[in-house]
Amino acid sequence: MACIFCRIINKEIPTDIVYEDKEIVAFKDIHPVAKVHILIIPKKHIESVAKLKSSDIMLIGKMIWQAKILAEKFGINKTGYKLLFNCGKDGGQVIKHIHLHLIGGQKLKNWPI
Ligand code: AMP
Ligand code: ZN
């Protein structure tokens, strides 16, 4: 069976999608840790940062660029935000389809968290 984020991409699981193009989907996290918590994922299934290939560099750049645009759309570009890739067991990655967390809308804990 396809992974949960692939099923979201295929519209088999409903989510609050805030951006979509031919390579990327962004949607609201189901368990937000802050007022704004959006996940940006590639449509291509890549397990984690650890599985990236050099041919994925443009795709990852696009994901970060889209986080920047969404931060503007959600009005947090001036107040600031965190961008986070959890990777692997020690990194706390639960869903094994690479995703970029965009978190903001309130004062966040100081690094390190
Ligand atoms: P991570 O710990 O980096 O793997 O984060 C996975 C994130 O996916 C968590 O913040 C979850 O709340 C989120 N999540 C899991 N299932 C869904 C879903 N169906 N729709 C939206 N977000 C989800
Ligand atoms: Zn997947």
Side-chain angles (χ1 to χ4, degrees), residues 3 5-6 45 96-97:
C3 92
F5 284 179
C6 282
H45 181 93
K96 292 185 172 58
H97 181 130

Side-chain angles (χ1 to χ4, degrees), residues 5 7 16 29 33 37 42 60 89 96-97 101-103:
F5 284 179
R7 292 173 70 198
D16 199 345
D29 196 292
V33 297
H37 189 174
I60 291 300
K89 186 165 63 68
K96 292 185 172 58
H97 181 130
H101 294 260
L102 166 62
I103 302 167

Side-chain angles (χ1 to χ4, degrees), residues 2-113:
C3 92
I4 183 164
F5 284 179
C6 282
R7 292 173 70 198
I8 284 173
I9 291 159
N10 293 330
K11 309 283 161 55
E12 292 164 23
I13 297 175
T15 44
D16 199 345
I17 291 176
V18 295
Y19 177 79
E20 180 168 10
D21 65 24
K22 64 181 198 319
E23 290 172 304
I24 287 172
V25 179
F27 50 93
K28 292 190 180 170
D29 196 292
I30 204 167
H31 295 126
V33 297
K35 283 181 188 150
V36 176
H37 189 174
I38 293 165
L39 300 175
I40 299 131
I41 68 172
K43 288 188 171 174
K44 176 184 174 187
H45 181 93
I46 302 167
E47 188 176 311
S48 73
V49 170
K51 293 289 171 72
L52 285 171
K53 300 189 171 127
S54 60
S55 55
D56 298 319
I57 288 173
M58 284 293 287
L59 182 60
I60 291 300
K62 257 196 92 174
M63 288 166 63
I64 296 170
W65 175 257
Q66 200 49 233
K68 182 248 193 219
I69 299 294
L70 286 166
E72 291 165 3
K73 186 176 166 186
F74 282 82
I76 61 170
N77 55 310
K78 293 203 172 77
T79 45
Y81 47 88
K82 288 186 194 286
L83 294 182
L84 179 68
F85 285 104
N86 290 327
C87 181
K89 186 165 63 68
D90 284 358
Q93 184 180 5
V94 174
I95 310 276
K96 292 185 172 58
H97 181 130
I98 193 170
H99 49 281
L100 177 59
H101 294 260
L102 166 62
I103 302 167
Q106 64 191 66
K107 181 78 180 94
L108 302 167
K109 283 182 196 161
N110 287 327
W111 190 260
I113 53 168

